[in-house]
């Protein structure tokens, strides 16, 4: 509780707010920051997303296949599910999300992250492709192969 108050108190000393987004992606959200009287006129700096295009994709991601698949989809037809670099869910939550995605029938690209071991505060990590069947509902990858990655 005290850490929350310390964090809030520190915000009063801020000279600005950095937001991991950009105006063209989320104009409503960025404008709401700019118009919020509670921010006391603090400048908002939308600086994201910050990408390192020089690094090679991890072996868990077949980026060429994903880009080709995205290029083959109709414009504005794919939902991107990504909960950030630390966003991860336990097995039951992953299965619920997967069931909802499948029932919607909407094309999707899902960045699924593995949570740190129980009781730790480490970062989320990528699932090896072979581990996906352990957390997704049985047959999910086969049933959604045409509409999702």
């Amino acid at each position: 509780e005290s850490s929350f108050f310390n964090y809030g108190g520190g915000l009063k000393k801020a000279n600005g707010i950095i937001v991991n987004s950009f105006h063209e992606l989320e104009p409503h959200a960025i404008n709401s920051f700019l118009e919020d009287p509670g921010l006391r006129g603090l400048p908002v700096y939308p600086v994201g997303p910050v990408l390192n295009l020089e690094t090679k994709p991890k072996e868990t991601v077949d980026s060429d296949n994903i880009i080709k698949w995205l290029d083959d989809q109709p414009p504005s037809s794919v939902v991107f599910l990504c909960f950030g670099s630390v966003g991860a869910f336990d097995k039951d939550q992953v299965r619920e999300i997967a069931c909802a995605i499948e029932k919607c029938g909407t094309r999707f690209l899902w960045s699924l992250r593995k949570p740190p071991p129980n009781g730790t505060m480490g970062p989320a990590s990528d699932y090896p492709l072979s581990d996906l069947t352990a957390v997704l509902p049985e047959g999910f990858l086969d049933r959604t192969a045409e509409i999702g990655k």
Side-chain angles (χ1 to χ4, degrees):
E1 183 178 304
S2 64
S3 63
F4 178 77
F5 287 115
N6 288 338
Y7 177 76
L11 289 175
K12 291 180 181 179
K13 300 174 186 173
N15 293 323
I17 298 173
I18 296 173
V19 181
N20 188 22
S21 188
F22 58 101
H23 191 269
E24 292 79 5
L25 177 64
E26 298 178 293
H28 179 75
I30 300 296
N31 288 339
S32 69
F33 280 123
L34 298 173
E35 297 166 2
D36 186 342
L39 295 177
R40 305 179 340 266
L42 286 174
V44 175
Y45 302 102
V47 297
V50 178
L51 304 173
N52 182 354
L53 300 176
E54 296 299 318
T55 61
K56 294 184 178 180
K58 297 179 182 176
E59 28 186 83
T60 57
V61 177
D62 183 0
S63 59
D64 291 339
N65 185 24
I66 291 170
I67 296 298
K68 169 144 181 25
W69 181 81
L70 282 169
D71 287 343
D72 291 343
Q73 305 309 305
S76 301
S77 68
V78 177
V79 173
F80 179 46
L81 287 97
C82 179
F83 299 96
S85 57
V86 295
F89 299 98
D90 65 35
K91 186 176 179 178
D92 291 337
Q93 292 171 313
V94 168
R95 288 176 181 240
E96 288 296 320
I97 294 169
C99 288
I101 293 169
E102 185 175 357
K103 286 181 181 180
C104 287
T106 301
R107 291 174 181 88
F108 67 92
L109 177 60
W110 189 2
S111 176
L112 180 57
R113 306 279 291 163
K114 184 177 187 176
N118 285 341
T120 67
M121 296 292 289
S125 60
D126 291 333
Y127 279 102
L129 294 176
S130 60
D131 286 357
L132 288 176
T133 56
V135 294
L136 293 169
E138 186 176 337
F140 174 81
L141 293 174
D142 293 330
R143 291 189 305 272
T144 60
E146 296 298 315
I147 65 164
K149 296 280 181 201

